[in-house]
Amino acid sequence: MGRRTEPRGASGPAVRGTEEAPASLSERLRARRMRRIRTWSLAIGGAVVVLATAAVLWFSPVLAVRSVEVTGSEYVDGSALADSLTETYAGTPLPQVPRGEVSEAVLAAHHQIAEAEVSWGGPRTLVVTLTDRVPVLALHAGDSWTRYDAEGVAIDTAERAPEGIAVVELAPDGEGAEGTEDSAEVVAQSLALLRAIPDTEREQVRSVRVRSATDLQVVLGIPGDAGRDGSPEAGEESADTREVTIDFGTAEDIERKFEIARILVGEGATSIDVSVPDAPVVRDTPED
């Protein structure tokens, strides 16, 4: 007898989903593309809105400068500066005001100012906040005193001696004034001296005397109850002071020279020469 053969593929479980798989993959890819398109559309739309808003603000008369406020300075006439800036920028939309240029112009025109911050004070107001330079010494020349800040910038000139800061005295003509004709150099040397002096003693500096570039002198007013190190004892004050003169010679090695002088001041010396720091000289001391 011959063998019967069953037709292939006529029996067995049917494979399901083979026709749906390609369709589902195509749909997923299409959906992914649509999500990307929507994301980019939203991003581009947002950017357009931001740019459009910025453009409106940039040119809008609603933000046009109508007034300028100037605050913070004792040296600069705030009203006059405000009027000048208002005349220059009135009608200009605030976003178009070059704040950096305004600041630079103010600083260039007023050397007494250390900083000029320009900001918006409202929809139509420009605010300029000034920070004055702080005087740390005054150069006495003739009948006037010129105050300088810690950077050596001249602040103002007065006909009376200022209070609360060190005074730089130039030697009279014919008494070793060689080299002192350059006030900038004198001020630079004096500032170097002051920077070498600790804060507590710096407040005691009465004057800095400059006879020449190699003859610098500091005069201190030491409180009568000062400690052995020459500095005031904490919590105590006295109206009695003793004057101490310290000759530094040049400004070279000034920190070391002052530390040596400080020790001698604590021992009661009133006239000290540390121009040669390895061989300091005490010219006089109070009698026991």
Side-chain angles (χ1 to χ4, degrees), residues 5-279:
T5 59
E6 297 292 336
R8 296 180 179 181
S11 63
V15 179
R16 298 181 179 180
T18 56
E19 295 181 357
E20 295 179 357
S24 298
L25 177 60
S26 176
E27 290 175 358
R28 287 197 299 270
L29 293 174
R30 185 181 300 108
R32 184 178 299 175
R33 285 196 299 271
M34 292 302 297
R35 286 196 298 270
R36 290 178 179 174
I37 292 173
R38 284 195 297 269
T39 300
W40 280 104
S41 297
L42 291 174
I44 293 173
V48 170
V49 171
V50 171
L51 291 175
T53 302
V56 170
L57 295 176
W58 184 264
F59 296 104
S60 175
V62 175
L63 295 180
V65 175
R66 183 171 58 186
S67 63
V68 177
E69 297 178 1
V70 178
T71 62
S73 177
E74 297 181 1
Y75 305 121
V76 175
D77 186 339
S79 297
L81 179 56
D83 291 343
S84 175
L85 293 174
T86 300
E87 183 178 352
T88 301
Y89 294 103
T92 303
L94 281 172
Q96 294 188 38
V97 176
R99 291 183 289 177
E101 293 182 10
V102 174
S103 177
E104 292 176 1
V106 170
L107 293 176
H110 303 281
H111 59 274
Q112 308 97 327
I113 304 302
E115 295 180 2
E117 181 182 354
V118 182
S119 59
W120 296 358
R124 307 192 69 177
T125 302
L126 194 67
V127 176
V128 181
T129 304
L130 306 178
T131 301
D132 288 339
R133 294 185 180 276
V134 178
V136 297
L137 62 80
L139 177 62
H140 183 199
D143 296 328
S144 63
W145 286 260
T146 301
R147 298 195 299 175
Y148 291 81
D149 74 345
E151 297 179 358
V153 177
I155 298 175
D156 59 4
T157 301
E159 296 181 354
R160 298 179 59 184
E163 298 180 357
I165 59 176
V167 174
V168 179
E169 298 283 356
L170 298 180
D173 293 338
E175 296 184 15
E178 180 182 357
T180 62
E181 64 277 0
D182 187 348
S183 60
E185 180 62 24
V186 169
V187 170
Q189 293 174 353
S190 301
L191 288 172
L193 279 174
L194 293 177
R195 281 192 290 267
I197 300 175
D199 291 342
T200 52
E201 282 85 357
R202 192 178 305 156
E203 296 177 356
Q204 300 167 4
V205 175
R206 289 184 173 179
S207 66
V208 178
R209 296 171 182 169
V210 181
R211 293 184 175 86
S212 72
T214 59
D215 192 352
L216 308 178
Q217 185 184 84
V218 168
V219 178
L220 304 178
I222 304 297
D225 55 5
R228 295 291 295 173
D229 63 351
S231 59
E233 293 182 354
E236 297 184 9
E237 295 183 357
S238 173
D240 298 329
T241 60
R242 60 188 174 97
E243 187 173 279
V244 176
T245 301
I246 306 173
D247 290 306
F248 287 92
T250 67
E252 183 180 359
D253 204 12
I254 198 69
E255 291 85 359
R256 179 170 174 244
K257 291 177 180 178
F258 185 79
E259 285 305 314
I260 294 171
R262 189 180 190 183
I263 295 172
L264 297 174
V265 169
E267 295 176 353
T270 57
S271 182
I272 304 165
D273 187 333
V274 288
S275 56
V276 181
D278 291 330

